[in-house]
Every structure is written in structure tokens, then in C-alpha cells.
């Protein structure tokens, strides 16, 4: 009987910055493209989780009562002309993230996002970010 292949995931280096390039496409400082999948997690008792897809769908859930996570998948996609952020539809995701100390990003909207995990497996890189509550809300 043949042995199953062993896959080992390892931690990847976090991008210093992620900028919106066009709807549903972010670019890092090394010109690598990242596709967001937004996950809206309802509070306990609501019993619903809604994911919003990669490219072609909106990345902006419409609820403000839930917590927000985003899975950033590094995937090579052809880049067209960059879209001016002011021309993009309003969205809950920031137009830019900057890496901060303590395994987190700060968004251009001053939001903080915790890096839940960032792994590379078989050449595919995924990073899950979770929006942290505003300090003034606590």
C-alpha cells in the first residue's frame, strides 16, 4: 500500500503593505496580488455565517452588528490599470493595510486587524485577518 504524501504548512512573511488595486484585488510591496474573501460572523445566537466570494462579487457585507474577518489569498492575477480608491464602491475593507507590531495590520480607515494565521502550503499562501473592536467601543 502506498504512503500518503505529507504536506507541511509553514509560516510566511507578512506583507508590509497591501493596497487596493481594483475591486477585489490588493497588491503588496512586491507586486504580488491578494484576493480577499470576506467572512461576516454573526454574534452568538444569530446562527449564521456569510462568506462573500473572490472577484466578481462584492467584498462588503452590509451588517455592522457582526464581526468581520477576511481571508487574503495570494494568487497571481493579471493587473489592469489601478483604480483610484475614491472611484470604488464604499466598502468595510480598508483601501490599504500597513503591518504593525504585535501581529496586526492597521487599515487606512484606522481600523486594526489581527493576523489569525498566515501560512504557505504547496505554493499557496493564505492570511486570515480579523477586525478588532474599536478601543472607544470597549
Amino acid at each position: 500500500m502506498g504512503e500518503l504524501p505529507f504536506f507541511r504548512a509553514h509560516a510566511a512573511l507578512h506583507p508590509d503593505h497591501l493596497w487596493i488595486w481594483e475591486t477585489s484585488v490588493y497588491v503588496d510591496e512586491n507586486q504580488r496580488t491578494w484576493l480577499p474573501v470576506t467572512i461576516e460572523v454573526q454574534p452568538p445566537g444569530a446562527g449564521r455565517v456569510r462568506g462573500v466570494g473572490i472577484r466578481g462579487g462584492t467584498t462588503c457585507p452590509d451588517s455592522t452588528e457582526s464581526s468581520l474577518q477576511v481571508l487574503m489569498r495570494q494568487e497571481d492575477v493579471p493587473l489592469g490599470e489601478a483604480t483610484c480608491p475614491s472611484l470604488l464602491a464604499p466598502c468595510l475593507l480598508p483601501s490599504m493595510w500597513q503591518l504593525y507590531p504585535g501581529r496586526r495590520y492597521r487599515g487606512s480607515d484606522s481600523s486594526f486587524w489581527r493576523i489569525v494565521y498566515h501560512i504557505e502550503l504547496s505554493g499557496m499562501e493564505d492570511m486570515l485577518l480579523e477586525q478588532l473592536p474599536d478601543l472607544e467601543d470597549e
Side-chain angles (χ1 to χ4, degrees), residues 32-118:
R32 298 185 315 151
T33 51
W34 295 78
L35 306 179
V37 177
T38 305
I39 305 163
E40 176 187 15
V41 181
Q42 295 294 325
R48 156 177 106 105
V49 174
R50 185 177 73 170
V52 183
I54 296 177
R55 293 185 59 104
T58 179
T59 60
C60 304
D62 55 8
S63 172
T64 58
E65 297 283 328
S66 58
S67 68
L68 191 61
Q69 295 181 335
V70 60
L71 176 68
M72 299 297 281
R73 173 158 289 165
Q74 194 284 308
E75 187 172 314
D76 294 331
V77 296
L79 291 174
E81 290 293 317
T83 303
C84 179
S86 64
L87 298 177
L88 295 169
C91 185
L92 291 178
L93 297 181
S95 57
M96 189 271 296
W97 276 289
Q98 180 179 355
L99 186 61
Y100 262 50
R103 292 185 49 89
R104 61 190 178 147
Y105 281 92
R106 183 164 191 172
S108 55
D109 58 0
S110 298
S111 61
F112 281 98
W113 297 73
R114 177 176 72 95
I115 301 170
V116 178
Y117 66 81
H118 184 183

Side-chain angles (χ1 to χ4, degrees), residues 1 4 13 18 21 23 31 35 39 47 52 63-64 73 82 88 92 99 101 105 108 119-120 122 131 138:
M1 185 176 284
L4 294 175
L13 294 177
L18 292 165
W21 186 266
T23 301
Q31 297 299 305
L35 306 179
I39 305 163
V52 183
S63 172
T64 58
R73 173 158 289 165
L88 295 169
L92 291 178
L99 186 61
Y105 281 92
S108 55
I119 60 169
E120 184 176 350
S122 300
Q131 188 173 24
E138 294 179 349

Side-chain angles (χ1 to χ4, degrees), residues 104 112 131-138:
R104 61 190 178 147
F112 281 98
Q131 188 173 24
L132 298 172
D134 290 336
L135 295 177
E136 60 226 25
D137 292 345
E138 294 179 349

